[in-house]
Amino acid sequence: MASKLKQEQRAEFKRYKEDVQKEGKPFFPYAVFHDTIMSLVVVAVIIGLAVVWKVTADGTEPGLLGPLYTDKADPGTTNFVPRPDWFFYFLFYLLRIFKWPETVVLGTVGIPTLLLILLVGLPFLDRRRERRLLRRPVALVAAVLVVVSMGVLTWKGATAEEALGSELAAKVPAWSQAQGFAGNPKAVAGAKLFAQSGCLNCHVYLGNGAGNLGAPDLSAVGAKNRGADFFKSYVTNPAQYGNRVMGSYAFLGQENLANLGAFLDASKGPKKG
Amino acid sequence: MARSARRAQLEAAALAPLDWVEERTGLVGGVKYLLFRNVPRDVNWMQTLGSATLTAFLVQATTGVFLAMYYKPDPDRAYESIQHITNDVTLGWLVRGMHKWGASLFIILMFLHMARTFLFGAYKYPRELNWILGVLLLVTGMAEGFTGYLLPWDQTAYWATVVGINLNATAPIAGPFLAQFLQGGANIGSDTLSKFYSIHMLLLPGGIMALIGLHMYLVVRLGVTSPPWSRVAAGRPRHEGAPGGGREGLIREPASEEAS
C-alpha cells in the first residue's frame, strides 16, 4: 500500500506523461535547435578564450588571461605561492579559516564532505511535490546562502596572497626566540626552508605540523649535539640511516641543505623557564 | 502510375542502407524515438545548459586526444613537450588553449546546469537518481581538473598539486593512504606524474562517459521537466469545467493542493 504522497507523485507523473504526449512538441527540430545554438556559443567562447590567451600572452609573460606556462617545476624553490585551479579556491581558502593543524580537517574534509552528503541527499530531504521556487522558501534561502558563501570563499581565495607555507614561515621568529638561534642566520634561513618545504606535513615542530604520518617531533632533535653536517647528510639520504619511510631531499641543493642542518642542530628544545 | 512506382523504387533504394542497419541492429527505431519524442511545449533556454555541458565535455575529449599525441608524461620531458605544443605544433596553441579554457567552462556549466535543476525542482520524483548521477559527474569533473592541473609540470602545477595532496593527507583514516597513493613515493616525481596522467585520461573520462550515458538515458526515459511556472497543464490536476489549453495555469487550485 503506497503512501498518499507516493500515490500523488505517481498520478502527477502519469498526467505529465499524458500531457506531454498530447500537447508537447517533438525534440527534433524544436529543442535541438536551441541546444545547437547554445552549443555553438559554448564552442565559440572556448575558442575565443584560447585565442585571447595566446595572443596577449608570450611564454611565461602573462597576458589578459595569465601566462601560457610558468617556469618549469622546481621542487627546490621555497618561496613559490601555490595556487590551485579557480574552482578549488573555496577549498583553498577554507584552509586559512581553520587554523592548522587541530581543526584543519574540518575545513579540508569536514565541510566539503558534509556539503556533498547534503547534495546527494537533496531529493530525499526535500520530498514535497511543490516545484515553484517562491513556494519553497527553505530551498530558496539555502541555495542563496550556498551560492553567496561559495562565491565569497572563491573571491577570498583568488585574492589571498599568502600560502600555507608562508603562514608557517611567519612563525620562524617565534621559533628562533624559543630555541635561541635568532643570532644564527644560517639556522634562521634553514627554519624558513623547513617551514616552506612541507616538512611539517609529516613532522611536528613546537606544536606546529600534522604529525599524522607517525614522523617524530623535531622540536628537540638537536639536543644530542650531533652537528649540522650529520643532519645535512641525513636529510640528503635518510635511507642510509635505515629510514626507508622518509624520502631524499637532495633536490633542495647543497646550500639549502646546509642551512637546514644548521637549523636542526640549533633545535635543542625550547628553553625551560 | 508508373511514375509513382518508380518513386517508390527510388525511396526504397535510398533507404536501403538504413533498412540494412535496422534489420541487423534494431537501433533505428530507438534513434527515431530519441529524436521525435515529445518534450513539454514551454521548455526554455535555461534547459539547454545540459547539452551545453555535454558539448564542453566533447570539446575536452577531442582536444585531449590530440594533446595526448604530443604530450610526454615524464618530469624531464613534460614541460618541454608543453612548450613544443604551444609554440611549434600547428594549431597546438589552439588545441591546448581550448583544453585549458574548456575545462573551466565545463565546470562552470555543470554548476549552472545544477542550479537550473535545483530552481526547477527537477530533482524531485521520479528524477532523484538522475540528480545523484549529476552530483557524481560534478565530483569526477572536478577530479579531472585536479589531475589535469599537474600535467604541464610548471611551477604553478607542481605547487598546487603539493597543496592538493597535502589536503588529501589531512582526511581522517584514509587520508594518508590516499596521499601516499596519489604521490606514489616520498615526493612528487615521475611516479606521481604518470599516475595523474593515467587517472586524468583513462580512469576519469571512462567514468564520466559511463555516467553521462546513464544520465541521458534517464532524461529520455523520464522526460524533460516542464518549467515550474508552466501555464501548460503538464501534470497539473484537472479540474471539472476548467478551460483547457493555455489558460489552465490561471485556474486557482483547490486549497488541498497548497498543503502537500
Side-chain angles (χ1 to χ4, degrees):
Chain A
M1 182 68 212
S3 67
K4 186 165 172 292
L5 176 66
K6 264 275 164 292
Q7 285 169 339
E8 281 172 358
Q9 285 174 333
R10 282 174 189 159
E12 184 183 353
F13 186 58
K14 193 162 157 277
R15 283 197 302 268
Y16 156 85
K17 279 286 204 199
E18 287 165 3
D19 289 335
V20 172
Q21 200 56 45
K22 204 169 66 210
E23 305 192 355
K25 55 186 184 188
F27 177 69
F28 180 90
Y30 298 102
V32 169
F33 173 68
H34 288 167
D35 284 342
T36 309
I37 289 186
M38 191 69 167
S39 295
L40 288 175
V41 168
V42 168
V43 175
V45 168
I46 293 175
I47 292 178
L49 285 167
V51 169
V52 170
W53 187 49
K54 168 71 181 175
V55 169
T56 60
D58 183 19
T60 54
E61 288 299 310
L64 288 173
L65 297 173
L68 298 176
Y69 34 76
T70 46
D71 292 329
K72 185 172 177 171
D74 173 14
T77 348
T78 52
N79 55 358
F80 193 86
V81 178
R83 183 146 300 257
D85 220 343
W86 64 266
F87 43 87
F88 288 114
Y89 282 170
F90 73 98
L91 207 56
F92 181 65
Y93 197 76
L94 275 175
L95 269 187
R96 301 167 49 93
I97 292 180
F98 294 93
K99 283 284 167 280
W100 190 268
E102 297 82 6
T103 51
V104 77
V105 70
L106 275 180
T108 55
V109 183
I111 291 178
T113 307
L114 193 70
L115 273 178
L116 208 57
I117 289 172
L118 284 178
L119 213 51
V120 169
L122 175 68
F124 308 100
L125 295 170
D126 173 19
R127 299 181 44 194
R128 295 166 60 231
R129 285 167 48 219
E130 180 58 64
R131 293 201 293 117
R132 283 162 294 186
L133 196 61
L134 291 177
R135 305 199 186 190
R136 296 156 56 207
V138 178
L140 183 58
V141 170
V144 168
L145 280 180
V146 167
V147 169
V148 167
S149 52
M150 296 247 317
V152 167
L153 284 174
T154 301
W155 173 248
K156 291 280 222 185
T159 50
E161 287 179 2
E162 276 181 291
L164 210 58
S166 352
E167 280 177 23
L168 287 166
K171 299 191 191 293
V172 170
W175 292 349
S176 58
Q177 281 293 316
Q179 300 274 25
F181 60 73
N184 179 350
K186 281 188 78 166
V188 173
K192 229 177 139 107
L193 189 72
F194 180 83
Q196 290 174 330
S197 306
C199 306
L200 291 163
N201 295 330
C202 302
H203 290 283
V204 179
Y205 190 82
L206 293 180
N208 299 288
N212 56 359
L213 294 178
D217 186 326
L218 300 179
S219 310
V221 73
K224 289 183 184 166
N225 296 322
R226 282 177 291 199
D229 284 345
F230 164 79
F231 289 112
K232 181 184 165 189
S233 107
Y234 191 100
V235 173
T236 308
N237 186 7
Q240 77 182 62
Y241 293 91
N243 183 343
R244 310 239 166 253
V245 182
M246 177 170 161
S248 158
Y249 284 82
F251 59 79
L252 289 172
Q254 287 301 309
E255 193 189 341
N256 282 334
L257 287 165
N259 290 343
L260 203 52
F263 157 72
L264 289 169
D265 190 51
S267 303
K268 310 290 186 199
K271 289 199 290 274
K272 300 284 181 287
Chain B
M1 273 291 97
R3 267 183 64 191
S4 69
R6 266 249 300 284
R7 206 192 142 92
Q9 242 180 343
L10 268 176
E11 266 176 18
L15 290 175
L18 212 57
D19 286 338
W20 191 93
V21 172
E22 166 67 357
E23 196 176 334
R24 283 153 185 80
T25 62
L27 280 178
V28 174
V31 173
K32 268 189 183 158
Y33 173 77
L34 191 78
L35 285 179
F36 301 115
R37 73 203 149 101
N38 272 3
V39 297
R41 183 154 292 281
D42 53 358
V43 289
N44 74 10
W45 279 101
M46 276 198 256
Q47 282 162 302
T48 61
L49 286 167
S51 62
T53 313
L54 176 65
T55 305
F57 175 73
L58 292 176
V59 167
Q60 289 310 92
T62 314
T63 52
V65 166
F66 284 101
L67 287 174
M69 294 176 185
Y70 296 93
Y71 178 74
K72 310 275 188 294
D74 176 282
D76 299 327
R77 299 192 298 163
Y79 185 69
E80 285 71 19
S81 73
I82 290 287
Q83 283 183 315
H84 177 64
I85 289 169
T86 315
N87 303 323
D88 312 333
V89 178
T90 310
L91 289 184
W93 62 267
L94 180 64
V95 174
R96 182 177 165 231
M98 283 176 77
H99 198 73
K100 180 190 163 75
W101 295 105
S104 289
L105 228 66
F106 178 50
I107 303 266
I108 292 174
L109 285 167
M110 277 199 288
F111 273 111
L112 289 176
H113 176 54
M114 189 167 81
R116 195 280 300 169
T117 309
F118 184 84
L119 296 182
F120 278 33
Y123 55 87
K124 295 177 182 232
Y125 177 90
R127 302 184 177 90
E128 300 98 326
L129 249 184
N130 223 12
W131 170 268
I132 292 171
L133 288 173
V135 173
L136 292 177
L137 275 164
L138 184 73
V139 173
T140 33
M142 287 181 84
E144 279 282 34
F146 173 62
T147 49
Y149 206 61
L150 175 67
L151 304 184
W153 204 252
D154 58 3
Q155 287 285 59
T156 327
Y158 182 88
W159 291 104
T161 307
V162 170
V163 171
I165 288 182
N166 291 343
L167 288 194
N168 280 312
T170 63
I173 306 163
F177 295 103
L178 187 64
Q180 276 286 322
F181 168 76
L182 282 174
Q183 200 157 310
N187 41 50
I188 294 181
S190 80
D191 289 353
T192 322
L193 186 55
S194 42
K195 211 165 262 190
F196 271 51
Y197 186 54
S198 68
I199 291 174
H200 182 78
M201 65 173 259
L202 296 169
L203 182 69
L204 293 174
I208 287 184
M209 284 174 201
L211 286 168
I212 287 179
L214 285 170
H215 198 70
M216 286 170 64
Y217 165 75
L218 282 183
V219 169
V220 173
R221 184 187 152 86
L222 301 172
V224 176
T225 321
S226 64
W229 54 82
S230 175
R231 294 177 62 220
V232 182
R236 298 278 183 83
R238 321 262 201 274
H239 306 305
E240 288 303 314
R247 301 190 48 206
E248 177 72 25
L250 301 175
I251 301 297
R252 190 167 296 229
E253 296 175 5
S256 67
E257 276 306 308
E258 297 297 323
S260 54

